Amino acid sequence: MSIRFFKKLYAGALALACLLGTGTGAAEAVSDIQTYRLENGLTVLVTEDSRFPLVAVRLFVKAGSAWEKPEEAGMSHLLEHMVFKGSKTSGPGVDKKVENAGGSMNAYTSYDLTTYLTDLPSAKWKEAMAAVRDLAFDPLLKQADLDAEREVVLAEKKQRGDSPMTRLFQTTMAHVLKGTPYQTPVIGTEEALRGITPDMMRDYIRRRYDPRDMVLSVAGDVKAPEVLTEARELFGGYKNHNVLKLEPAVDPADLAHGLVVDVKPGPWNKAFVSLAFPMPGMKDGLMPAADVLAHLLSGDDTALLPRSLRIEKQIVDAVDASSMSFERAGAFLIIAQLDADKAVEYLKDIAAKLASLKASDFTDAQIARAKLNLEDDYLRGLENISSIAETMGSEYFYDPASVGGERWLAAVRGVDRSQLQQVIDRWLRPDALTVAALVPQGRDGAMAALDEFSAKAAVAAGWPEAGTRVKEEKAQTTKKDTLKPEVVELGKGRTLVLLPDRSLPYVSATLAFSGGELLASDEEEGLAALTASVLTSGTEAKNLHDINVYLSERASGLSAGSSTKQFALRLDAPKRFAPEVFALMDEVLKSPAFREEDVERSKREQIASVVSREESATGLVGRNLRHFLFQKGAYAHRGGGDVERVAKYTRDDAASFWRRQASRPWVLCVAGDFDRQQIEAFARALPEPTEPKLESSAPEWNKARSLELKLPGRDQAVYLMLFPTAGVDDKDRAALRLLSECLSGFTGMLYQELREKQSLGYSVFPIDWAAKETGFLAFGIVASPQNLEKAKASFEAIVRELKQKELPAETVARAKAVAEADYYKSRQSRAMRAGEGASLLLQGKELDHAMKKLEEMKAVTAAQMREAAEKYLDIDRAYELRVTP
């Protein structure tokens, strides 16, 4: 649990989803989790869940980077890559077999463990278990494969280094946990990676891959006794080779070396600042209190730091506190993104807040809200089958004595003010503070806005001591309900869609209006997004803080957003609070305030989000791609708009846009465990539309066919080759979609040719996009700048081959199976189903539209795909987009 709030802001930069620190599993079945132990010590966890025809399998191995020797730094992660090259158990191509069966497989490495994962249709559950076995045991480890994959990992390392959040995190960990196994990045060092050999990998496997140190987690439409029988067959024959020993936990007091400050200038447009304190490992009894304290500091907009620093003083774009614990050590982090000229002010302010921080600062209501939201966050993590397998396995891995998270949940419920004060007194100490910052490089040789001297002075000004050395039951659920959708036409441009699902006591709803960017002129780019942000910031009776407190006390969410063709409000709440949150949605719709301070804050945050997104090459591409292709109209509008234009919008602009938007036809789609009568009454009481539905028109393609964007100071570049194709309802759309599916994945032609054979880049992918009137298919790669021309030549060769030859039957079958599995996986989320239902009905389509399109795609032949390639993949008419340093 300890990393959940760190992930909110920085999940895209840090692959740390596996570092949760709670508990699951025991010697007998408890709640929905059935637990077994094989004779060789391997633990098997099973959760039977028949809501969807899916199965998720995870194999957790105590073989993360924290177990490596210095000369092996990066071994665990590199080995994770190598296992996909083939196993002595079943030879090469295990990933291909899984994709052919309609599934997906992957692996990830963290500090404490490596996890092998497979998601498949439940009819193939045995293949899913065999797949993770094949990955983990007896890899081939050929020298030629190692030479190629080493370069891929080094390219991945450079790509991660281009992310300011990743670089900040690695810098912070190197200082705050210096001298522990957690100071080195999981991906390792280039020197160590260059020196790793197949024999070193085999020795590492002998040391770390004992069944006794593994957890097999299976969730989905399976039967536990059958899973146990298969587990014995697949895994029972493997032996343990090592003497079991426990590594001692790290004492945070040993890591307190006085104030440490590290400021690094770079090619950033924003400043990124972290404050960190060492903490013990996740089994320490106070860790749940640290989780509660992190939530009190930044869990939502009612919390101390975002309310003070982002909303009131407007010093930061975002600020987040997290209690992050590993097996033997941990860290308490506060990370902020802000304008560089506010860095000194921020450091003074946050240091002063930490210096005076006391548990008595928080009211009983605030503490209760924090505990409610932590418990709620845990329960929401059990919505889809993949996360159930992930959560119960990782929890058991760290705390076998706690079943289903009960011990962590009970501890959180029991946190009191004295425990919060102990966390502050023991660990948030000035002599243990590390400050790390990435700041924009000064222009024309000028000094950066912040350096180590000014950072130390700012911290000491706020916290003088830092400058010196100072010595309720889990919800009972049923999974037997079937999903029976209902469409209720209310008349006058109003439609209600009901999607019952009582597997968890939660409700999600989307109220979608015709409009969004369609309603905004080119001169109003970004106004719809701004209006959405301001809309939920206050009503005539409630200000932003009132709304944030109202939602936090109910563990609920209410937000608004705008896309190309619609403007939507989204609601998510526990069943028992749903009527109150729907009442708040009604209040937002009928009496929004559009206060000046909310508009100015939302403008600043929208601009900061745009700038932050364009810090990465892929983000820069994503924001500018359609703007380059179409130039004008709704399809060309950039997410977040133009920075200079957004800065000029006023409250009158936003209020006027909302009046225009609120007059358009709407669809309300509700998914989850709800009272039908209450929902229909709510829908009928909503305002009636007075204007017609908006219709889009075909965009005009740009006559210029190439664009190069610059992002200085990065090691990686992006190249896209793009071909105009057909709209969503065109007869060729199914063939184009299937063609994209065939090109994607580990066994797809793009990945196999550019990464596996040529090692040109870490990330290779197709993009298939379609609107009503047009579409495109693009080939993309993230690679070193010097490899872009090679990538272009390879893309051209692939196009020629697609036009000349039919794809193999096995490839086509794999793509169809993957698409079908993805269909079910994506619809496990109530919020996704509510959003999809509203969008489809707003477009005049039926609820089963996506299923019908899937069936059309499954009927496509290899010959039809070749014809589509011949028709649309014209290299002479292709568009090119590059992002280079």
Side-chain angles (χ1 to χ4, degrees):
M1 298 295 178
S2 303
I3 197 172
R4 68 179 65 239
F5 300 112
F6 186 78
K7 292 197 299 178
K8 284 192 308 181
L9 187 57
Y10 308 115
L14 305 172
L16 298 171
C18 53
L19 301 179
L20 297 172
T22 57
T24 314
E28 59 185 1
V30 178
S31 299
D32 292 332
I33 302 172
Q34 302 186 53
T35 307
Y36 311 93
R37 186 178 292 274
L38 303 186
E39 291 184 0
N40 59 11
L42 186 142
T43 300
V44 182
L45 309 174
V46 185
T47 290
E48 298 178 358
D49 188 331
S50 59
R51 289 176 297 156
F52 297 91
L54 300 168
V55 66
V57 178
R58 304 290 185 268
L59 181 65
F60 300 86
V61 184
K62 187 178 284 191
S65 63
W67 301 102
E68 298 164 349
K69 300 174 183 179
E71 64 272 18
E72 297 172 336
M75 172 84 78
S76 303
H77 179 255
L78 182 56
L79 177 60
E80 169 221 310
H81 279 245
M82 285 293 294
V83 298
F84 287 91
K85 298 297 184 179
S87 166
K88 297 175 185 176
T89 312
S90 60
V94 61
D95 50 353
K96 187 175 181 180
K97 295 175 184 176
V98 169
E99 290 192 353
N100 286 345
S104 62
M105 68 183 310
N106 211 330
Y108 62 79
T109 313
S110 70
Y111 291 102
D112 294 314
L113 51 78
T114 297
T115 304
Y116 300 101
L117 54 100
T118 303
D119 296 317
L120 271 169
S122 54
K124 303 289 186 179
W125 68 268
K126 291 185 178 181
E127 286 89 334
M129 290 178 61
V132 296
R133 188 276 312 270
D134 290 345
L135 289 181
F137 292 95
D138 304 318
L140 293 174
L141 302 180
K142 295 180 180 179
Q143 183 66 55
D145 291 337
L146 176 58
D147 292 340
E149 206 60 29
R150 189 191 338 261
E151 296 307 314
V152 170
V153 170
L154 289 171
E156 179 186 357
K157 181 176 173 66
K158 289 181 180 180
Q159 183 178 347
R160 292 187 185 183
D162 280 348
S163 163
M165 285 303 173
T166 303
R167 190 174 297 186
L168 180 67
F169 177 76
Q170 292 176 350
T171 300
T172 301
M173 296 296 287
H175 290 299
V176 75
L177 295 183
K178 185 177 181 180
T180 78
Y182 302 100
Q183 72 176 35
T184 304
V186 171
I187 202 167
T189 65
E190 181 169 357
E191 180 182 7
L193 289 168
R194 295 277 184 204
I196 291 174
T197 66
D199 285 341
M200 291 173 65
M201 286 187 157
R202 295 184 184 99
D203 178 67
Y204 182 72
I205 291 171
R206 282 192 292 270
R207 298 199 326 265
R208 301 303 327 160
Y209 276 59
D210 277 353
R212 180 186 51 221
D213 291 327
M214 298 181 181
V215 175
L216 178 68
S217 175
V218 182
D221 191 9
V222 295
K223 301 298 181 184
E226 297 176 2
V227 171
L228 177 61
T229 298
E230 189 68 12
R232 286 182 175 135
E233 178 68 24
L234 291 171
F235 298 94
Y238 293 101
K239 307 295 183 183
N240 298 297
H241 300 288
N242 303 288
V243 177
L244 181 64
K245 64 176 183 178
L246 299 177
E247 295 292 333
V250 176
D251 185 349
D254 295 336
L255 303 179
H257 304 299
L259 176 63
V260 175
V261 176
D262 188 343
V263 179
K264 289 182 169 63
W268 323 114
N269 294 314
K270 290 282 185 176
F272 305 88
V273 182
S274 74
L275 288 82
F277 303 87
M279 290 201 308
M282 56 184 59
K283 291 186 179 179
D284 189 283
L286 278 178
M287 293 314 300
D291 290 336
V292 174
L293 179 62
H295 196 281
L296 286 166
L297 289 175
S298 72
D300 55 39
D301 283 350
T302 69
L304 175 65
L305 299 183
R307 182 183 177 191
S308 172
L309 299 173
R310 181 172 64 82
I311 296 174
E312 295 175 357
K313 297 181 181 179
Q314 300 185 9
I315 298 174
V316 302
D317 302 330
V319 61
D320 190 78
S322 61
S323 165
M324 184 166 54
S325 53
F326 311 119
E327 186 169 10
R328 288 166 279 167
F332 196 95
L333 292 90
I334 301 173
I335 295 184
Q337 173 186 303
L338 64 158
D339 291 332
D341 59 3
K342 296 180 180 178
V344 169
E345 180 185 2
Y346 166 71
L347 284 172
K348 288 180 182 178
D349 199 312
I350 191 69
K353 282 181 168 58
L354 291 171
S356 62
L357 185 65
K358 295 181 177 61
S360 57
D361 296 339
F362 305 106
T363 67
D364 291 341
Q366 288 173 324
I367 295 172
R369 280 206 311 270
K371 294 194 288 187
L372 170 64
N373 279 274
L374 283 169
E375 183 174 352
D376 177 75
D377 195 27
Y378 175 84
L379 291 175
R380 290 179 189 275
L382 303 179
E383 183 173 33
N384 66 66
I385 291 166
S386 295
S387 62
I388 290 172
E390 186 80 25
T391 301
M392 72 174 177
S394 61
E395 287 175 342
Y396 184 95
F397 182 89
Y398 287 113
D399 190 0
S402 179
V403 178
E406 277 88 348
R407 181 150 71 182
W408 181 85
L409 288 168
V412 165
R413 295 184 191 118
V415 168
D416 57 27
R417 206 172 262 103
S418 67
Q419 291 175 320
L420 294 172
Q421 192 61 50
Q422 288 183 65
V423 172
I424 295 169
D425 293 341
R426 290 186 187 182
W427 301 325
L428 304 194
R429 297 163 39 187
D431 62 315
L433 175 60
T434 290
V435 177
L438 302 181
V439 297
Q441 180 73 54
R443 296 181 179 178
D444 301 325
M447 293 290 290
L450 184 76
D451 57 21
E452 291 185 8
F453 178 81
S454 59
K456 285 184 178 180
V459 172
W463 198 354
E465 294 87 350
T468 61
R469 179 71 190 273
V470 187
K471 208 67 169 154
E472 168 178 282
E473 298 295 322
K474 285 181 65 178
Q476 298 299 312
T477 66
T478 173
K479 299 168 184 175
K480 297 180 181 179
D481 290 355
T482 56
L483 307 181
K484 296 180 179 179
E486 181 182 1
V487 178
V488 182
E489 292 293 347
L490 303 177
K492 299 181 180 179
R494 303 171 301 157
T495 304
L496 173 64
V497 183
L498 302 171
L499 304 176
D501 178 356
R502 294 180 173 82
S503 59
L504 285 174
Y506 287 93
V507 180
S508 295
T510 295
L511 176 63
F513 294 84
S514 172
E517 295 301 323
L518 276 180
L519 190 59
S521 67
D522 290 342
E523 290 70 31
E524 294 177 319
E525 183 187 37
L527 181 56
L530 178 64
T531 303
S533 176
V534 180
L535 182 64
T536 54
S537 295
T539 67
E540 293 177 0
K542 295 182 178 70
N543 62 24
L544 176 62
H545 179 66
D546 296 333
I547 289 177
N548 287 335
V549 170
Y550 186 95
L551 292 170
S552 183
E553 287 176 340
R554 293 158 179 79
S556 301
L558 179 65
S559 62
S562 175
S563 60
T564 303
K565 297 184 179 182
Q566 69 180 40
F567 186 103
L569 276 80
R570 302 177 184 89
L571 174 157
D572 192 70
K575 177 184 178 180
R576 65 186 185 276
F577 296 126
E580 299 166 59
V581 183
F582 272 103
L584 177 61
M585 176 186 275
D586 185 69
E587 185 177 340
V588 166
L589 287 166
K590 294 176 179 177
S591 60
F594 288 99
R595 294 182 176 89
E596 187 71 41
E597 60 268 27
D598 292 331
V599 174
E600 292 304 312
R601 186 198 68 256
S602 294
K603 284 164 56 177
R604 186 177 64 81
E605 292 175 358
Q606 185 165 322
I607 291 170
S609 176
V610 168
V611 173
S612 177
R613 187 176 179 190
E614 292 193 346
E615 290 282 6
S616 73
T618 51
L620 191 60
V621 169
R623 248 186 58 81
N624 290 279
L625 178 56
R626 287 194 294 164
H627 185 71
F628 159 63
L629 295 177
F630 305 129
Q631 301 287 293
K632 297 179 180 180
Y635 291 128
H637 290 182
R638 292 161 291 188
D642 174 76
V643 168
E644 294 183 1
R645 186 170 287 144
V646 170
K648 297 177 181 178
Y649 290 140
T650 66
R651 69 174 302 276
D652 289 340
D653 293 328
S656 173
F657 186 88
W658 170 240
R659 286 192 294 271
R660 288 188 282 149
Q661 180 61 83
S663 66
R664 300 293 172 172
W666 52 259
V667 175
L668 173 65
C669 184
V670 184
D673 189 0
F674 53 81
D675 183 306
R676 186 196 183 286
Q677 187 174 0
Q678 290 178 354
I679 296 298
E680 183 170 349
F682 170 81
R684 291 187 181 278
L686 293 176
E688 295 181 359
T690 58
E691 297 292 333
K693 176 183 174 182
L694 292 164
E695 298 291 345
S696 59
S697 57
E700 181 179 346
W701 285 76
N702 191 359
K703 292 182 173 57
R705 295 184 177 274
S706 64
L707 174 67
E708 181 164 355
L709 301 170
K710 293 292 183 180
L711 198 58
R714 273 51 169 194
D715 289 321
Q716 295 287 283
V718 174
Y719 174 74
L720 254 64
M721 178 180 288
L722 183 146
F723 305 91
T725 59
V728 290
D729 295 320
D730 190 278
K731 61 181 179 60
D732 294 328
R733 173 45 43 194
L736 289 164
R737 178 185 172 191
L738 183 58
L739 179 59
S740 178
E741 290 281 2
C742 288
L743 293 171
S744 64
F746 293 125
T747 56
M749 191 181 297
L750 294 180
Y751 185 95
Q752 288 294 316
E753 183 62 34
L754 278 79
R755 174 168 166 173
E756 292 294 283
K757 294 181 181 179
Q758 300 184 53
S759 300
L760 291 181
Y762 172 70
S763 180
V764 189
F765 50 89
I767 302 174
D768 181 35
W769 176 88
K772 180 180 178 181
E773 305 86 357
T774 190
F776 62 73
L777 178 62
F779 302 163
I781 185 170
V782 180
S784 299
Q786 61 269 25
N787 285 340
L788 294 193
E789 287 303 318
K790 295 179 182 177
K792 176 182 179 180
S794 295
F795 285 159
E796 291 176 349
I798 288 172
V799 167
R800 288 191 292 270
E801 185 171 348
L802 290 172
K803 296 165 76 169
Q804 294 168 4
K805 300 179 182 178
E806 293 183 5
L807 288 167
E810 183 182 27
T811 298
V812 178
R814 172 193 65 83
K816 292 178 180 179
V818 168
E820 183 169 15
D822 286 345
Y823 173 87
Y824 289 111
K825 285 190 285 187
S826 66
R827 282 157 182 80
Q828 295 176 87
S829 162
R830 290 164 183 76
M832 187 277 173
R833 279 178 265 151
E836 180 189 47
S839 180
L840 286 173
L841 270 292
L842 197 62
Q843 297 174 56
K845 302 183 185 302
E846 298 177 342
L847 285 174
D848 62 352
H849 176 78
M851 174 56 77
K852 289 179 178 178
K853 290 298 181 183
L854 174 64
E855 293 301 323
E856 288 178 12
M857 190 207 70
K858 288 167 63 178
V860 170
T861 65
Q864 289 173 315
M865 277 192 292
R866 191 196 65 75
E867 291 171 2
E870 178 66 30
K871 181 176 181 179
Y872 294 104
L873 303 189
D874 184 349
I875 293 175
D876 293 333
R877 297 179 58 81
Y879 287 75
E880 292 184 308
L881 193 149
R882 300 170 186 248
V883 177
T884 57

